[in-house]
Amino acid sequence: MAEHILGFEIPIGDWVESGVDWVQDNLTGVLDGISDGLSLLIDSFEDGLLAVPPLLLALVIVAIAWWRVGWRFGLFALAAMVLIFGMGIWKETVSTLALVIGSSLVALAIGIPIGISMARSDTAQAILRPILDLMQTMPPFVYLIPAAIFFGLGKVPGSIATLIFAMPPAVRLTNLGIRQVSQEQVEAGQAFGCTDRQLLFKVQLPLAMPSIMAGINQTIMLALSMVVIASMIGAGGLGNTVLTGIQRLNVGLGFEGGLGVVLLAILLDRITQSFGRSRERTTRSRRRISLFHRFKQVVNSGKPGKAGG
């Protein structure tokens, strides 16, 4: 045992248990408020999606895939919908989609402002970077323990574990995107009298949008991967189908649930990537237009003035 070799013991586990007990004794109202808010958000998404006729919702998904990516991916989306209906896992797929959307929205609402604060402050970046490293290297199963302790079993603890696990990419890539905005463009905005707020929303965020969209894409993908694990604490959806297959040693059932997750992941990945690519093309065209106008100004400044003859 390590305590016999070193001659002392560091009771980290006892400290953590004391912290958990303090939170449960003193922050019950806060935990209940978080639980009620997340439950309302996720249930609203799920009820809204299930209220739409399944065939109509499937056609909407196919139309979005066709519009955003192309006709080939639209055909793939159509084949994916046929498979999901054929395997009888439509309701589970919608439940998983609602949980992913709800958890991702909360993760982005928290993560993007944190990324902005890191980009604007080296001190904040130095403090938050180790925390993000810890969040990304912690085994996903570990997040299930405090979520289940504080929020019980069900979709809420599953969404809490999911949003914590999925948040770091949004923070990191927002910070990276803003820091990669060239100093010349920032100085140009300042020269035109931009306030700090205007500089952020009119210059830095639009130019950083391709990186931010990549962070959104990664957040959604991590949320989907965590939702499967969160089925162990009652999150439901396709993860529960996979878990049931494992518990019953039913290879077919587990494969159907896993295939549903794969199809949903491909659809979400390609569609969200398409928004990032369109943003990147817009940003590049703006930069080309800006360079053209700058070149034109240089050329015109070298011509003799009209007044002198």
Side-chain angles (χ1 to χ4, degrees):
M1 297 293 290
E3 60 266 25
H4 297 304
I5 296 174
L6 299 176
F8 65 91
E9 180 182 0
I10 302 176
I12 293 180
D14 295 338
W15 296 343
V16 171
E17 288 184 5
S18 299
V20 169
D21 292 339
W22 184 89
V23 170
Q24 288 180 319
D25 293 338
N26 297 278
L27 298 179
T28 304
V30 176
L31 296 178
D32 290 341
I34 294 173
S35 178
D36 293 341
L38 279 174
S39 179
L40 177 63
L41 179 65
I42 295 168
D43 289 342
S44 298
F45 275 118
E46 184 171 357
D47 293 341
L49 292 173
L50 289 175
V52 180
L55 288 176
L56 177 59
L57 182 56
L59 288 176
V60 169
I61 294 173
V62 172
I64 293 174
W66 195 302
W67 167 52
R68 293 303 310 176
V69 183
W71 67 269
R72 291 185 179 87
F73 190 69
L75 292 178
F76 170 82
L78 180 61
M81 294 298 105
V82 171
L83 277 173
I84 289 172
F85 282 123
M87 292 186 294
I89 54 173
W90 173 255
K91 187 175 181 180
E92 290 81 1
T93 302
V94 170
S95 178
T96 298
L97 180 61
L99 188 58
V100 168
I101 293 174
S103 301
S104 298
L105 285 177
V106 177
L108 294 172
I110 298 171
I112 291 178
I114 293 176
I116 293 173
S117 68
M118 288 179 64
R120 297 170 70 88
S121 171
D122 292 335
T123 302
Q125 179 176 241
I127 294 172
L128 292 172
R129 183 181 289 175
I131 299 174
L132 294 173
D133 292 339
L134 177 66
M135 292 171 66
Q136 288 190 291
T137 55
M138 186 76 71
F141 291 95
V142 176
Y143 291 113
L144 303 181
I145 301 172
I149 291 174
F150 292 137
F151 300 98
L153 300 177
K155 294 179 181 178
V156 171
S159 65
I160 291 287
T162 299
L163 72 90
I164 293 174
F165 178 72
M167 191 191 305
V171 179
R172 288 187 184 276
L173 288 171
T174 299
N175 173 37
L176 179 65
I178 294 175
R179 286 181 177 271
Q180 285 182 335
V181 175
S182 68
Q183 189 63 29
E184 292 179 357
Q185 291 165 325
V186 173
E187 291 174 354
Q190 292 172 339
F192 281 100
C194 288
T195 63
D196 289 343
R197 183 183 181 86
Q198 290 172 332
L199 189 66
L200 175 65
F201 286 99
K202 300 293 185 180
V203 178
Q204 292 174 312
L205 284 181
L207 293 173
M209 195 55 67
S211 179
I212 294 173
M213 289 303 299
I216 293 173
N217 173 266
Q218 292 302 306
T219 295
I220 293 173
M221 291 297 99
L222 286 177
L224 184 57
S225 68
M226 188 63 188
V227 160
V228 178
I229 299 174
S231 65
M232 294 182 175
I233 54 175
L238 291 170
N240 190 58
T241 304
V242 176
L243 183 63
T244 303
I246 295 173
Q247 291 171 340
R248 297 178 181 176
L249 297 179
N250 188 333
V251 179
L253 182 63
F255 183 81
E256 288 180 348
L259 181 59
V261 173
V262 170
L263 295 174
L264 185 58
I266 294 173
L267 290 170
L268 290 174
D269 180 51
R270 294 294 300 278
I271 291 173
T272 53
Q273 275 187 2
S274 70
F275 286 97
R277 285 195 296 268
S278 63
R279 286 281 187 175
E280 188 172 2
R281 285 194 296 267
T282 302
T283 301
R284 287 178 178 175
S285 64
R286 286 177 178 174
R287 286 175 178 171
R288 284 196 296 267
I289 292 172
S290 176
L291 288 173
F292 172 75
H293 283 301
R294 191 176 303 174
F295 175 75
K296 188 176 180 181
Q297 288 173 356
V298 171
V299 172
N300 289 335
S301 66
K303 294 181 178 180
K306 293 181 180 180

